[in-house]
Amino acid sequence: MGTQRVPLLASLVVLLAAAACATDRDGATSAPLPTPGVSTTAAPATTPPSTTAPPTPGAPPVTTPSRAAGDWRVTYGWALPSTPARVTHAVRVPVTPAPGEPLPVLVQIQVGDHPAEGFSRITFAFRGPTPSYQFGYVARVESDGSGAPVDLPGTAYLSIRFNPAQGHDSSGRSTVTAPARTIGYPTLRGWAPAGDFEGYLSFGLGLQPPAGGPLPVRLGESTRPDGTHVVSVDVRRG
């Protein structure tokens, strides 16, 4: 009896591990939300996945990526970024010689809803190395340069800014394929561009928090089989 149960238990463990590391339809891989009292994050790798510059006095907080299940790794755990947080990657430019683009290039934005895991997600996929990025809640999202307000649905707004990065080619044409700006998930309501100038690429997210207050967010990174690097923003569904 006991010898027959071992293969069955081993098969269940393999199936559960595969489900935890599955690729999401929004283009990233992720682990499920943690069970209370149980950690789903592995110990950091011996060699960190990115180079993080030392903090500068007065600069926003710097977050160092940590390994999680599969290729996907957390760079900012579930929290409320009421002050700007920053994840830093060392990017040596130009990343490709002329006539190639000198900076990491955004090629795709995708969205996906994960009701069973309790969050909705928007991802940004880059050709070339992963750029640094800064993010946080703001009273309103403003266009880089002009300062004009960016129209977004919802009642709370998250700003994310990549650097160095661009979303256009050498002719000034957009390199990005993206979904409709109105998303319509329970709390992740929409997105909009906020700037693409001199190596800074900015976006705003429109959120609809429940009556209880602002929503925790989580950021992570992964690498697709085609070599593009993905930054994912997860928003609690409520």
Side-chain angles (χ1 to χ4, degrees):
M1 180 73 72
T3 56
Q4 293 177 344
R5 291 178 179 174
V6 172
L8 178 59
L9 290 174
S11 300
L12 289 173
V13 169
V14 171
L15 289 173
L16 289 172
C21 302
T23 300
D24 302 327
R25 62 186 176 274
D26 41 51
T29 55
S30 70
L33 287 177
T35 302
V38 178
S39 174
T40 60
T41 303
T46 303
T47 302
S50 66
T51 302
T52 305
T56 303
V62 175
T63 305
T64 303
S66 61
R67 288 288 181 185
D71 174 66
W72 185 83
R73 53 203 175 272
V74 173
T75 58
Y76 182 83
W78 289 110
L80 300 172
S82 55
T83 58
R86 182 174 174 84
V87 177
T88 301
H89 293 282
V91 177
R92 184 173 297 178
V93 296
V95 298
T96 55
E101 294 90 352
L103 307 177
V105 177
L106 182 67
V107 294
Q108 189 176 50
I109 298 172
Q110 290 181 279
V111 296
D113 196 22
H114 301 259
E117 297 174 278
F119 67 87
S120 301
R121 169 176 289 174
I122 182 168
T123 61
F124 302 86
F126 291 88
R127 182 174 66 241
T130 307
S132 300
Y133 44 98
Q134 182 171 306
F135 54 96
Y137 276 110
V138 293
R140 69 175 187 177
V141 177
E142 299 180 346
S143 297
D144 291 345
S146 69
V150 174
D151 187 28
L152 285 164
T155 58
Y157 310 104
L158 192 75
S159 172
I160 182 166
R161 195 181 201 201
F162 300 96
N163 170 254
Q166 62 187 64
H168 62 275
D169 60 20
S170 57
S171 300
R173 294 171 296 194
S174 175
T175 56
V176 186
T177 59
R181 296 183 185 179
T182 300
I183 299 174
Y185 293 152
T187 55
L188 180 58
R189 308 296 292 173
W191 70 277
D196 181 6
F197 184 66
E198 293 188 346
Y200 288 90
L201 185 59
S202 304
F203 296 92
L205 304 183
L207 311 181
Q208 186 64 56
L215 289 162
V217 300
R218 175 180 68 178
L219 279 80
E221 297 175 10
S222 61
T223 303
R224 294 177 179 168
D226 64 3
T228 52
H229 297 283
V230 179
V231 176
S232 59
V233 182
D234 298 339
V235 180
R236 292 276 198 192
R237 293 179 93 252

